[in-house]
Amino acid sequence: MTEAENSKIEKPNFDAYTEKLGSISESIDQIKKKIDNLQKEIKIANRGKEEYNKKKKDIVTRIDSFQNEIDKLENERRGILDQIEQKQKHKKELRVNAQNIKKQIGFENEEDIEKKIREIENKLMTSTISIKEEKVLINQIQALNKNRPLFSSYSKIENAASKYDDETIVPLKAKMDEIREKINKLRNEKKNERNKLKELQNSYQERNSKLNELNNLRDSYSKKMNHYFMERRSITVELEEKKKQYRSYKINLLQAKQQKLKEERERKNLEFEKQNLEKELEDIDALPYREELALIENMLSYLKKFQDEAKMEEAKKQQNSSNKKTNGEVEKTNENDKEEGDNKTKNENKKGKNKKDKQKTFKLDMNILCYFVTAGIAPPVSFDEIDPCISKLHEKRAMYEKKRDDSVKNVENRRKSLTTKIKEIEDKLAVFKPAEYTKGHKTNKAKA
């Protein structure tokens, strides 16, 4: 048994699947009808929805406008905050610069510098010091004189830093407070609009509780219908898979059957060829072309016999014709009789000619025609064609005799070739299953 026959697959019960799918489709249709009825009720309940949507849209538009204004003010407030931050940073930098200058001077005010210079000058004038110390003191005086103008810069920076808040930062803070008040006002208005929207939604929901119930019921029906859809799809996929498996199984069976028939046909052809070769091997010692030569000899004998009979019949007819002419001339005595005799003679001559013409052609029976067809020679249809036909038969006989002589010389080579071919065929037959080969071999022997 083939692999397809071993793995047998039963035909699926398509009617059961069809019945199940029909039941599911019927359930889906019923749910669709229920959903359609619910849609009609929902449409009736939705009549006040347009007014609600219009009011809701107006409130949302106002809320969006308030939010846009708030966003603009927020952007402006953030800009002011950035300015205040920059101003404070600048003020801090002024303070740092003033402190650095003060540290560089080393004195609290310009009077302290004057006092220090006078002390150094007094020391130079009253004290006895070396030249080196004198140079040091002179350098100190020069350094103090050099730092004296820094006090004016320090004073300016310090004054600017102390007045910076009042002149720059305070106005910005005041403006920011004003913006904050506007933002709070807008937020309150926005909050009021949101409360209105919430009240509108609550009132709409209260009025449309039935609509919600209908929507929920419709959703539940939709879920149920989707479940049926999924179930139907699952069954359809399963059915298609079983169809595919069964179809594949049938195709495999058909292919196995075709392969088996092909092998059987091939085996029979090989056995037939082997029988022919064995028969040819049995007859190899006999002279070849015996049947062809015998057929040609029979045809030659037939034609010669037919030719001889035709000649004898022609001679008899000519003799009878001459006797009739002699008797007719003696009996006729008058001119009328002569004329009648002449007419008769003419008629007889015409008849004789017609007979001769008829005798020139002849018919062959079907067996003789088959002989000529088998020999491959056109059969003669008149006496004039007999001699050429005999010549062709002689040529044909000479050809077959030459072939026979050549074949006798190559008997051993042909025997070896036939034996080799038979061995090759037996090797090919051995490939087939023993049971099949034995069964086929016995059948062929029985037929033989």
Side-chain angles (χ1 to χ4, degrees), residues 59-76:
I59 294 172
V60 171
T61 302
R62 288 196 294 272
I63 290 171
D64 291 339
S65 65
F66 290 144
Q67 185 61 46
N68 291 331
E69 292 180 11
I70 290 170
D71 292 339
K72 289 179 182 178
L73 292 172
E74 283 289 343
N75 291 331
E76 188 177 354

Side-chain angles (χ1 to χ4, degrees), residues 272-321:
F272 182 73
E273 186 179 357
K274 181 185 175 185
Q275 289 177 2
N276 291 335
L277 292 173
E278 288 175 346
K279 185 177 180 182
E280 187 176 351
L281 185 62
E282 290 175 1
D283 298 338
I284 196 169
D285 292 326
L287 291 175
Y289 305 109
R290 289 175 300 171
E291 295 178 358
E292 289 82 354
L293 290 170
L295 180 64
I296 290 171
E297 290 295 337
N298 290 334
M299 291 166 65
L300 286 171
S301 299
Y302 175 79
L303 289 175
K304 287 179 180 179
K305 182 180 178 183
F306 189 77
Q307 199 175 31
D308 293 340
E309 289 177 355
K311 287 179 180 179
M312 290 175 65
E313 188 177 352
E314 183 68 22
K316 287 180 181 180
K317 287 181 180 180
Q318 288 179 358
Q319 187 176 359
N320 291 332
S321 178

Side-chain angles (χ1 to χ4, degrees), residues 59-284:
I59 294 172
V60 171
T61 302
R62 288 196 294 272
I63 290 171
D64 291 339
S65 65
F66 290 144
Q67 185 61 46
N68 291 331
E69 292 180 11
I70 290 170
D71 292 339
K72 289 179 182 178
L73 292 172
E74 283 289 343
N75 291 331
E76 188 177 354
R77 188 175 69 85
R78 280 194 291 270
I80 293 171
L81 284 173
D82 292 338
Q83 291 180 16
I84 291 171
E85 186 178 355
Q86 290 176 0
K87 298 293 183 182
Q88 287 177 345
K89 186 177 179 182
H90 184 61
K91 176 185 174 182
K92 187 176 180 180
E93 289 175 355
L94 291 175
R95 293 282 187 187
V96 171
N97 291 333
Q99 292 297 324
N100 290 334
I101 292 171
K102 189 175 181 181
K103 287 179 182 179
Q104 185 180 354
I105 295 171
F107 297 94
E108 291 294 331
N109 49 45
E110 195 172 348
E111 293 176 354
D112 292 338
I113 292 174
E114 288 290 339
K115 185 178 179 181
K116 183 68 176 177
I117 291 171
R118 284 196 298 271
E119 287 178 357
I120 294 170
E121 288 177 349
N122 188 27
K123 188 176 181 180
L124 286 171
M125 293 177 68
T126 58
S127 301
T128 302
I129 57 176
S130 63
I131 296 172
K132 186 177 180 180
E133 290 177 352
E134 185 178 354
K135 287 182 178 180
V136 171
L137 294 173
I138 291 170
N139 289 332
Q140 288 180 359
I141 292 170
Q142 290 176 353
L144 290 170
N145 288 325
K146 190 177 180 181
N147 289 332
R148 187 182 293 174
L150 293 175
F151 267 109
S152 61
S153 298
Y154 168 74
S155 299
K156 289 179 181 179
I157 293 171
E158 186 67 25
N159 291 331
S162 60
K163 295 178 181 179
Y164 203 79
D165 287 341
D166 296 334
E167 293 178 355
T168 56
I169 295 175
V170 172
L172 291 174
K173 286 183 177 180
K175 190 174 182 181
M176 192 170 66
D177 292 337
E178 183 181 350
I179 291 171
R180 190 181 293 112
E181 289 178 0
K182 290 181 180 179
I183 290 173
N184 291 332
K185 184 179 179 181
L186 290 170
R187 282 176 177 170
N188 290 329
E189 292 178 355
K190 179 183 173 183
K191 185 177 179 181
N192 293 331
E193 293 296 329
R194 282 189 175 278
N195 292 331
K196 290 180 182 179
L197 179 61
K198 190 174 182 180
E199 290 175 0
L200 179 66
Q201 289 174 341
N202 291 333
S203 62
Y204 178 75
Q205 288 177 358
E206 289 175 0
R207 289 196 308 270
N208 291 279
S209 58
K210 183 181 178 181
L211 179 63
N212 293 332
E213 292 177 1
L214 293 174
N215 286 327
N216 293 332
L217 186 59
R218 182 187 61 184
D219 293 340
S220 66
Y221 280 141
S222 297
K223 289 179 181 178
K224 194 172 182 180
M225 187 169 65
N226 290 332
H227 174 72
Y228 279 127
F229 278 134
M230 292 175 66
E231 186 179 0
R232 184 172 67 179
R233 178 174 176 78
S234 176
I235 294 172
T236 304
V237 170
E238 182 182 352
L239 177 61
E240 290 299 324
E241 184 65 25
K242 287 187 177 294
K243 282 183 178 179
K244 185 179 178 182
Q245 291 177 358
Y246 185 70
R247 187 163 52 247
S248 176
Y249 165 71
K250 295 294 286 183
I251 290 171
N252 291 335
L253 277 181
L254 181 61
Q255 290 176 348
K257 185 177 180 181
Q258 290 175 347
Q259 181 65 23
K260 195 172 181 180
L261 291 173
K262 182 181 177 183
E263 291 177 357
E264 182 67 18
R265 188 164 53 250
E266 185 178 353
R267 182 183 61 76
K268 287 182 179 180
N269 291 335
L270 289 172
E271 289 179 351
F272 182 73
E273 186 179 357
K274 181 185 175 185
Q275 289 177 2
N276 291 335
L277 292 173
E278 288 175 346
K279 185 177 180 182
E280 187 176 351
L281 185 62
E282 290 175 1
D283 298 338
I284 196 169

Side-chain angles (χ1 to χ4, degrees), residues 336-357:
N336 291 330
D337 292 337
K338 285 181 180 180
E339 289 178 0
E340 290 177 0
D342 291 337
N343 291 330
K344 287 180 181 180
T345 303
K346 289 178 181 179
N347 291 330
E348 287 176 358
N349 289 333
K350 287 180 181 179
K351 289 179 181 179
K353 287 181 181 179
N354 291 332
K355 287 180 180 179
K356 286 181 181 179
D357 292 337

Side-chain angles (χ1 to χ4, degrees), residues 5-63:
E5 291 173 344
N6 289 330
S7 58
K8 187 176 181 181
I9 297 176
E10 296 293 337
K11 184 178 180 180
N13 190 357
F14 296 122
D15 294 335
Y17 280 102
T18 304
E19 184 179 354
K20 197 170 184 180
L21 289 172
S23 175
I24 293 173
S25 298
E26 186 177 353
S27 300
I28 290 172
D29 292 337
Q30 291 176 359
I31 293 174
K32 280 183 178 179
K33 289 180 181 178
K34 291 180 180 179
I35 290 175
D36 291 338
N37 294 330
L38 284 173
Q39 284 293 117
K40 292 177 182 178
E41 295 182 19
I42 290 170
K43 188 176 181 181
I44 294 171
N46 274 333
R47 288 177 180 175
K49 192 173 182 179
E50 293 181 359
E51 184 180 356
Y52 162 74
N53 288 332
K54 185 178 179 182
K55 290 181 179 180
K56 180 181 176 181
K57 185 178 179 181
D58 293 338
I59 294 172
V60 171
T61 302
R62 288 196 294 272
I63 290 171

